[in-house]
Amino acid sequence: MEEEPTIESGQGRSLDFRGGPAASAIPIGVFIVWAVFQSGVLGIGDTSGLVVGMLVGLIAGLPFVRGDWKTYADAIFEGMTQEVAATAAVAWLWAGMFANTIQAGGSSTAWCGPPTPPRSAPRCSRR
Amino acid sequence: MWAANAAEVGAALFPAVTFLLAGLLATGIGTGYGTTIAFVTLVFPAGLLLGTNPILLFGAILSGAVFGDNLAPVSDTTIVSAVTQDADIGGVVASRVKYAVAAAVPAFAAFLIAGATMTTTDPAAGSGVTAGAAWGLLHLIPVAIVIGTAIRGRHIVEAVSWGLFTAFVLNVMLGYFDLVDVGVSDVLVFMAPESGLVTALDTAPLIGAVIETVPAGEAGVGGSLYNGAVGFFPLIVLTLLIVAGAQIMRQGGGFEALQRWLLDTVATTVRRAEVTMVLGTAMVNAMVTINTAAEIAIAPYIRTLGRRFNINGYRRANILDANTSALGYIFPWGGGVLAGYSAMQTLPDEYGWFTVDMVVNPAAVFPYVFHGWFLVAVFLIAAVTGFGREYVSDRESEEVSRV
């Protein structure tokens, strides 16, 4: 079987944290708390807000790094350039364009609602 | 409406039929949120006119959204579930059908029973229902092309590009023959501030179709290609960052520590591992309501936990996606429910007969998202009994680049 390119790569404890392996969970941990607070508690469905949460999480992990912070930054780059992220991005972009083009073509006209009197034309709001 | 009229659907059958139609649309366009909004805006009022119970109908719409979000090859949760488990999307969708159908059949029956027994509102008087254009149904063609091509194993980029091309041609033709109010500029438009050059281009043949003159402050690019792509930008950035955070956790040893804990205490057998995966995805999705983000975060654990027991990529992907898709449309704070609710709140303004008490409270609809509940149940049962469990030795999933 082929070498899998994705999530498992980069094994090994090349990053040391004050607080041991548990401290390496700080970035993701902060993100989860943020996500639960923003979307669960406050009810804000803003994905860009979650981006900020993850950024804050990544910064929050910095003070715990033992040694050169450059290894931490390198881990960020290595993570971001994994094939998983790129494949998902490509798939989403294409799927998004497709879904919107279908909807623009007024497939919704097949589902038009009834008119409100006194208007006589069906009210089809296209999305 | 055209299809619904033709079948002379009564208030009792309406929820069940809506579930099917919403499921169909959601499977085609891959977005449960978009389906929910479209159906709440257009089908929900029609159903209430016939006297359908509003809470049940909203539940039916959300159920269709769950179905499509779970199964569609172009759904973001489906794509993430396949990619993170190193499985090709076509194979994942094909292997997922049995679970989706196993949940959809009882859900459909439940909607029939509930539709017949639940109290309905009085049909609103005074507005006739006109037949909508049947041309919209032609859009099922590009949808079928994408689904068919993906299942046949073609790369998802190729499959969707074909669908995109046919949808574009279809739109242009429908617009050209004045059958539907759509044009090339709905797919792509350059809204440029006025200038001599811009005005000249605007009136030119061919290229003029995609150029519009606007006041300086409103300049921009638009159209479905633009909106569809731009809509995903925040999620793409979020994914990149989450994966970066996961890498830090891996290199710092945290990932291994958590995994060892799970394997030692909770996931000690295949069955317990699968049940852990099902319950774990449910828990995280219940807390983090943007389900794709939750899915990306959980995926590595599903992957490693599953692979320890030699569970193959398709099975892992299906477990991962099920509760992710289902829960976004069940809980009152879920993104899907909220999207439908905000669309519903615009209805009293749009329709004179639509009263404010016809708007469904999000907290009231959760028991009626039948397909969501049945999907959760199907996977819990599947984990406990082993139904559908596939090992790597049973069927090796195709490499992810075939995705």
Side-chain angles (χ1 to χ4, degrees):
Chain A
M1 192 161 77
E2 267 195 28
E3 174 74 47
E4 283 133 35
T6 58
I7 301 196
E8 305 270 44
S9 58
Q11 292 278 8
R13 305 256 313 258
S14 40
L15 260 182
D16 270 321
F17 285 91
R18 286 178 249 275
S24 69
I26 289 176
I28 293 263
V30 166
F31 170 70
I32 290 181
V33 170
W34 180 294
V36 170
F37 182 67
Q38 182 201 297
S39 58
V41 173
L42 295 178
I44 306 173
D46 187 352
T47 315
S48 299
L50 292 185
V51 170
V52 178
M54 194 60 227
L55 287 168
V56 168
L58 286 170
I59 295 175
L62 275 172
F64 293 86
V65 176
R66 212 181 268 152
D68 192 357
W69 286 12
K70 182 175 175 304
T71 29
Y72 187 87
D74 284 340
I76 294 180
F77 296 140
E78 189 169 333
M80 283 180 77
T81 52
Q82 292 200 335
E83 210 176 294
V84 154
T87 321
V90 165
W92 282 329
L93 290 169
W94 259 255
M97 290 192 289
F98 175 67
N100 271 63
T101 306
I102 292 276
Q103 289 171 272
S107 59
S108 49
T109 59
W111 329 99
C112 278
T116 310
R119 294 173 62 126
S120 53
R123 299 198 59 167
C124 311
S125 44
R126 263 193 288 120
R127 315 214 141 251
Chain B
M1 236 25 251
W2 177 85
N5 278 346
E8 283 187 327
V9 169
L13 293 180
F14 205 82
V17 171
T18 302
F19 167 51
L20 284 184
L21 296 178
L24 200 62
L25 180 66
T27 308
I29 66 178
T31 158
Y33 288 26
T35 302
T36 304
I37 292 173
F39 266 66
V40 163
T41 319
L42 302 163
V43 175
F44 190 76
L48 292 207
L49 275 183
L50 291 174
T52 314
N53 183 305
I55 305 179
L56 186 62
L57 188 54
F58 191 30
I61 293 174
L62 293 172
S63 291
V66 171
F67 183 88
D69 204 0
N70 183 230
L71 195 60
V74 293
S75 155
D76 55 353
T77 55
T78 305
I79 292 168
V80 167
S81 72
V83 168
T84 57
Q85 306 305 316
D86 279 333
D88 58 297
I89 293 180
V92 160
V93 171
S95 67
R96 187 167 297 178
V97 171
K98 57 180 179 288
Y99 303 105
V101 168
V105 167
F108 184 75
F111 281 117
L112 284 177
I113 296 171
T117 57
M118 276 176 72
T119 56
T120 59
T121 59
D122 288 319
S127 2
V129 173
T130 62
W135 304 112
L137 291 175
L138 282 178
H139 279 90
L140 291 176
I141 298 176
V143 164
I145 287 176
V146 171
I147 297 177
T149 324
I151 290 186
R152 270 209 184 83
R154 309 301 291 178
H155 199 288
I156 196 74
V157 167
E158 183 185 333
V160 179
S161 296
W162 278 118
L164 194 52
F165 175 70
T166 37
F168 173 72
V169 168
L170 185 62
N171 284 358
V172 169
M173 293 207 313
L174 287 176
Y176 183 75
F177 292 111
D178 265 334
L179 298 168
V180 175
D181 178 20
V182 66
V184 177
S185 60
D186 288 300
V187 175
L188 178 64
V189 66
F190 296 95
M191 299 171 289
E194 194 168 339
S195 78
L197 182 59
V198 169
T199 321
L201 287 171
D202 195 356
T203 48
L206 272 189
I207 195 160
V210 293
I211 298 189
E212 261 176 36
T213 326
V214 295
E218 293 173 27
V221 181
S224 63
L225 294 182
Y226 178 87
N227 295 328
V230 168
F232 276 104
F233 287 0
L235 191 56
I236 289 171
V237 175
L238 181 61
T239 308
L240 290 171
L241 294 172
I242 290 181
V243 176
Q247 181 69 12
I248 287 173
M249 203 163 155
R250 216 183 342 261
Q251 282 187 229
F255 182 66
E256 208 185 303
L258 181 54
Q259 194 187 283
R260 208 178 311 123
W261 177 82
L262 281 172
L263 285 170
D264 287 343
T265 55
V266 183
T268 48
T269 64
V270 172
R271 173 189 302 175
R272 294 187 75 184
E274 286 204 329
V275 172
T276 307
M277 292 194 272
V278 171
L279 294 178
T281 47
M283 246 175 40
V284 180
N285 270 290
M287 296 191 301
V288 180
T289 62
I290 296 176
N291 45 6
T292 319
E295 194 183 25
I296 294 166
I298 309 166
Y301 294 97
I302 302 290
R303 190 190 146 95
T304 352
L305 218 53
R307 280 157 50 94
R308 280 302 156 96
F309 292 94
N310 265 324
I311 301 171
N312 86 356
Y314 296 132
R315 171 75 165 184
R316 283 182 270 123
N318 292 335
I319 292 180
L320 178 58
D321 192 283
N323 287 351
T324 304
S325 297
L327 296 181
Y329 302 90
I330 292 182
F331 293 118
W333 56 82
V337 179
L338 293 178
Y341 180 64
S342 17
M344 208 179 286
Q345 288 177 303
T346 66
L347 293 178
D349 294 326
E350 291 242 339
Y351 298 100
W353 54 267
F354 198 102
T355 57
V356 176
D357 47 301
M358 287 180 185
V359 175
V360 179
N361 188 329
V365 75
F366 74 89
Y368 301 101
V369 189
F370 295 142
H371 184 73
W373 290 113
F374 279 116
L375 197 60
V376 173
V378 162
F379 272 90
L380 209 46
I381 295 172
V384 170
T385 62
F387 163 70
R389 183 176 296 149
E390 285 184 43
Y391 294 98
V392 173
S393 47
D394 294 331
R395 179 164 58 140
E396 189 93 39
S397 46
E398 311 258 348
E399 28 166 308
V400 74
S401 56
R402 288 256 301 121
V403 112

